Amino acid sequence: MFISFEGTEGVGKTTLIRKLHEHFQHLAKDVVLTREPGGTPMAEQIRSLLLSVNHEETMSNDTELLLMYAARAQHLEAVILPALAADKIVLCDRFTDSSFAYQCAGRGLDREKLKVLNDGFVARMPDITFWLDAPIETGMLRARERGALDRFEQEKATFFEKVRSGFAEIHENEPARMKRLDATQTPEQVFQQALLHLQQI
Ligand code: TYD
């Protein structure tokens, strides 16, 4: 089973992933915990390039999209697909929905470009995706409390509103795959919401 986790900054993805990881381990399941952009040494280097604020030039939106997919291609081939082939459960912090929400809805990139990349380079979509949804202000506050802001976290609230509406659009179009979790609830309640969905599939 391939499970991905999505949402804007500071909505508590990491906490939910940790709880589910423990839950599956408790059930003696083989679980792989990974993230995007990143998840392999090479993809993590691409992640550094994507998140760094210390560039002497502005990263173009196309470059940002292509780097996301370069990292994703490596991650799929080296980590995700082999784990799924070995019947492991893959918990992935962000996947293609982030590209739609951040690069298309947020940055305004042409959706056709994303479609070409998804059709050509993404052999496997998640079986279920948890979208942790909460008002933008809550998450931005939490992100700021965590310390130095990365290149995405430095964006303004209006950008994150667009990203949030991007996730909402996917949720509307693919309700069977993408499940919305109310991330304003306590970590335990969010975890219980996720478990209910998992029991259903
Ligand atoms: P992440 O570490 O999950 O951020 P956070 O912990 O703040 O939620 O992801 C890093 C950033 O990369 C995040 O701001 C969203 C962005 N991103 C995209 O813009 N497109 C993508 O396809 C992915 C996977 C991430």
Side-chain angles (χ1 to χ4, degrees):
M1 186 155 56
F2 181 15
I3 309 174
S4 65
F5 301 82
E6 300 284 358
T8 45
E9 322 298 300
V11 286
K13 275 187 292 117
T14 314
T15 309
L16 175 62
I17 295 170
R18 205 176 50 230
K19 276 176 170 287
L20 280 173
H21 188 208
E22 278 167 16
H23 172 77
F24 285 127
Q25 279 183 326
H26 195 70
L27 296 175
K29 303 278 186 198
D30 232 340
V31 200
V32 173
L33 197 64
T34 190
R35 69 169 179 185
E36 290 210 347
T40 86
M42 197 183 285
E44 288 290 330
Q45 284 193 31
I46 300 176
R47 178 190 177 88
S48 304
L49 201 58
L50 277 160
L51 298 193
S52 173
V53 288
N54 300 321
H55 297 304
E56 285 168 9
E57 57 188 308
T58 305
M59 186 180 289
S60 87
N61 291 341
D62 283 345
T63 304
E64 186 177 282
L65 178 74
L66 291 169
L67 285 177
M68 290 294 176
Y69 275 80
R72 183 161 297 137
Q74 188 67 21
H75 188 215
L76 268 167
E77 197 161 316
V79 177
I80 298 178
L81 296 179
L84 293 174
D87 267 339
K88 294 180 182 172
I89 297 174
V90 176
L91 303 181
C92 190
D93 188 345
R94 297 192 184 282
F95 198 60
T96 51
D97 299 318
S98 277
S99 303
F100 179 81
Y102 282 76
Q103 278 68 55
C104 295
R107 304 277 195 227
L109 265 184
D110 185 352
R111 292 158 182 225
E112 267 310 304
K113 289 182 177 174
L114 187 84
K115 191 176 176 312
V116 168
L117 291 171
N118 282 335
D119 289 349
F121 301 102
V122 181
R124 179 71 149 79
M125 281 297 281
D127 299 296
I128 186 165
T129 298
F130 290 119
W131 167 37
L132 285 83
D133 186 38
I136 298 305
E137 304 74 47
T138 327
M140 286 183 82
L141 208 71
R142 281 194 217 155
R144 276 194 214 107
E145 281 165 3
R146 285 201 296 239
L149 300 179
D150 67 38
R151 207 169 55 81
F152 289 96
E153 290 165 343
Q154 287 189 352
E155 290 291 337
K156 296 189 181 64
T158 49
F159 173 77
F160 292 111
E161 292 294 355
K162 289 187 213 160
V163 173
R164 189 181 181 198
S165 68
F167 286 127
E169 195 179 323
I170 302 169
H171 178 243
E172 210 174 290
N173 293 334
E174 294 179 70
R177 175 177 66 85
M178 187 187 254
K179 306 297 178 191
R180 179 185 176 274
L181 306 181
D182 178 358
T184 61
Q185 296 198 337
T186 65
E188 182 56 31
Q189 286 170 323
V190 174
F191 173 61
Q192 292 301 332
Q193 289 179 56
L195 277 189
L196 269 178
H197 285 297
L198 286 175
Q199 276 156 12
Q200 279 166 11
I201 64 158

